[in-house]
Amino acid sequence: MSTSSVPRPEPAAPSGPLRRPALPQAVRPRVPQGALRVLALFAAVRLAGIVAVVFTNHLAGHPLFRSLAHSWDSRWYLHIAAHGYGHLIWITQTGGVQADWAFFPLYPGLIRALTTVLPLTPGQAALLIAWAAAGMAAYGLYVLGHHLYGRAVATALVGLWAVLPHAVELTIAYTESLFAALAVWSLYCVLKGRWLWAGSLAALAGLSRPTGFAVAVAVGAAAAHEVLRQRGRVPAGLWVGALLAPLGWFGYVLWVGQQTGDPLGGYFRIQSAWDSRFDFGAGALRFLRALLLHGGGFVYPAALMVVVAGVVLFGLLCLDRAPLVLVVFAGVLVLLVIGGSGSFSSKPRFLLPVFPLLIPPARALARSWRVRPARALLVGGALAVVSLLFGAYVTVVAHSPL
């Protein structure tokens, strides 16, 4: 008798409700639990920020949406997207010549590409890119936070990033959201050991902002640490990723140098005309002295408070023993903010992409939520109100550079 003809017992009836069969690991969704809810919360807060800016424009008698797409540096990016480089300069009151080569090419390049394939104005394309990048950055923050600390801390991390004082700059035509998205996903890839992705995204981050090389430094430091830890027995992808990481930033700097006839120093001369250079904190000390002697309205003391808070949070991040790649990334950008010259009112937005600084308060907020949820909600709500009001003020009312 063949075994195929032997009667087999019927399977036992399930004792509970029928359940869907589990998907194989390879095809299960990889979206961490709770991510969609947190992204909806992030979108709601930032949409409220846009509404606050539009309403403030209405009260001030300005075009309702103009300050979203045409504030300060936005005008330079839109001009580059429409006309390319080398066609716009600005003569300052002191006779300095500010050229468009100071602005890195990824954002205007994306604007140009989007307006080529879609019936959008450059301003509309710039906002669409900024908003999409902000969403990708928020999702990356959640994924990274979930990977390191779990759901509660990841939720707090995204929430705190959404209500930072200068978070309005995530929803105007600026590069902060694009840079943050590339940075967070590059550093997450380092944590997961995906070195080729980490290096490629770091190279793109280097094409997005002058401070973009901080991602390459962080990737390189993490790669060097891994080589030492593994005594050189590392995959080839690590070496390739580490070599790719700085190519975007160096490539653009060298291209500007070639355009100006000074391959090594041309870009830095362009930046100096914008009063943007590393002066080891001399400019920050002059600002602090002037602020103490003469005052500075509202924006400049607020900017000083944000920078001081950033330094304190970096110390807490180090004490928290965060992963090396996050500490190096945050450390480089904090150092550039403290030691760089330029308008002090712009320094808080330079800290906006430095998401690792929010890890210590996010962990504290998650602990508070477990024992005193009402207090955690009160803190989050208060921060959101301050962020919306301050964002509308600096974008529409204040005349200080963003």
Side-chain angles (χ1 to χ4, degrees):
M1 182 184 295
S2 67
T3 57
S4 62
S5 61
V6 176
R8 291 178 172 84
E10 292 294 326
S15 57
L18 291 174
R19 296 180 179 178
R20 295 174 63 184
L23 293 172
Q25 183 68 32
V27 295
R28 287 181 191 172
R30 296 184 180 182
V31 177
Q33 187 179 14
L36 296 181
R37 214 174 308 175
V38 173
L39 287 178
L41 175 63
F42 175 83
V45 173
R46 294 318 327 147
L47 179 60
I50 294 173
V51 171
V53 171
V54 171
F55 181 68
T56 308
N57 274 323
H58 171 70
L59 294 179
H62 300 163
L64 297 184
F65 297 95
R66 184 172 180 79
S67 56
L68 293 173
H70 298 272
S71 293
W72 296 93
D73 291 356
S74 303
R75 296 190 289 265
W76 289 83
Y77 287 117
L78 296 179
H79 192 277
I80 294 168
H83 304 287
Y85 283 99
H87 297 285
L88 181 61
I89 62 171
W90 177 261
I91 309 298
T92 67
Q93 294 179 348
T94 59
V97 180
Q98 297 176 339
D100 54 14
W101 284 320
F103 297 90
F104 275 55
L106 182 60
Y107 188 45
L110 291 175
I111 296 170
R112 180 66 174 267
L114 202 57
T115 55
T116 301
V117 298
L118 293 177
L120 299 172
T121 66
Q124 292 168 345
L127 290 177
L128 184 59
I129 293 167
W131 295 346
M136 287 301 300
Y139 178 53
L141 276 181
Y142 188 84
V143 171
L144 186 147
H146 194 281
H147 171 69
L148 290 176
Y149 304 107
R151 180 178 177 179
V153 175
T155 301
L157 188 62
V158 176
L160 288 173
W161 197 56
V163 299
L164 286 175
H166 281 68
V168 67
E169 284 150 3
L170 297 174
T171 43
I172 65 176
Y174 265 46
T175 57
E176 271 61 36
S177 56
L178 179 61
F179 175 47
L182 294 168
V184 67
W185 283 106
S186 176
L187 303 187
Y188 174 72
C189 287
V190 170
L191 295 174
K192 297 291 287 185
R194 300 167 184 167
W195 294 100
L196 285 176
W197 275 108
S200 300
L201 291 170
L204 289 175
L207 286 170
S208 66
R209 285 195 51 76
T211 54
F213 72 88
V215 186
V217 174
V219 172
H225 178 263
E226 188 68 10
V227 169
L228 292 174
R229 192 175 69 86
Q230 298 291 345
R231 298 184 178 180
R233 294 188 292 272
V234 294
L238 182 147
W239 298 103
V240 177
L243 291 174
L244 282 174
L247 292 185
W249 190 85
F250 277 118
Y252 182 69
V253 168
L254 292 176
W255 179 81
V256 172
Q258 189 270 333
Q259 297 298 308
T260 60
D262 182 4
L264 297 180
Y267 168 78
F268 301 102
R269 192 169 65 250
I270 293 289
Q271 284 288 5
S272 293
W274 287 84
D275 193 25
S276 177
R277 57 189 180 277
F278 192 80
D279 62 3
F280 299 93
L285 291 176
R286 287 194 300 270
F287 161 79
L288 184 58
R289 181 175 180 272
L291 185 65
L292 293 175
L293 291 176
H294 309 292
F298 174 69
V299 172
Y300 288 98
L304 178 61
M305 291 175 61
V306 171
V307 172
V308 171
V311 175
V312 172
L313 289 175
F314 178 70
L316 294 176
L317 180 72
C318 295
L319 293 175
D320 204 43
R321 296 187 177 182
L324 175 68
V325 68
L326 302 184
V327 173
V328 172
F329 172 69
V332 171
L333 288 178
V334 169
L335 180 63
L336 289 174
V337 166
I338 297 172
S341 61
S343 174
F344 210 91
S345 64
S346 298
K347 290 184 181 292
R349 78 172 170 93
F350 298 155
L351 289 174
L352 189 57
V354 196
F355 64 89
L357 298 179
L358 299 177
I359 289 176
R363 299 186 70 182
L365 192 60
R367 290 192 297 268
S368 176
W369 175 262
R370 286 192 289 268
V371 295
R372 294 185 179 89
R375 181 179 296 181
L377 281 176
L378 181 62
V379 170
L383 290 174
V385 171
V386 171
S387 176
L388 298 183
L389 294 178
F390 188 74
Y393 177 79
V394 298
T395 307
V396 179
V397 180
H399 298 290
S400 304
L402 285 175

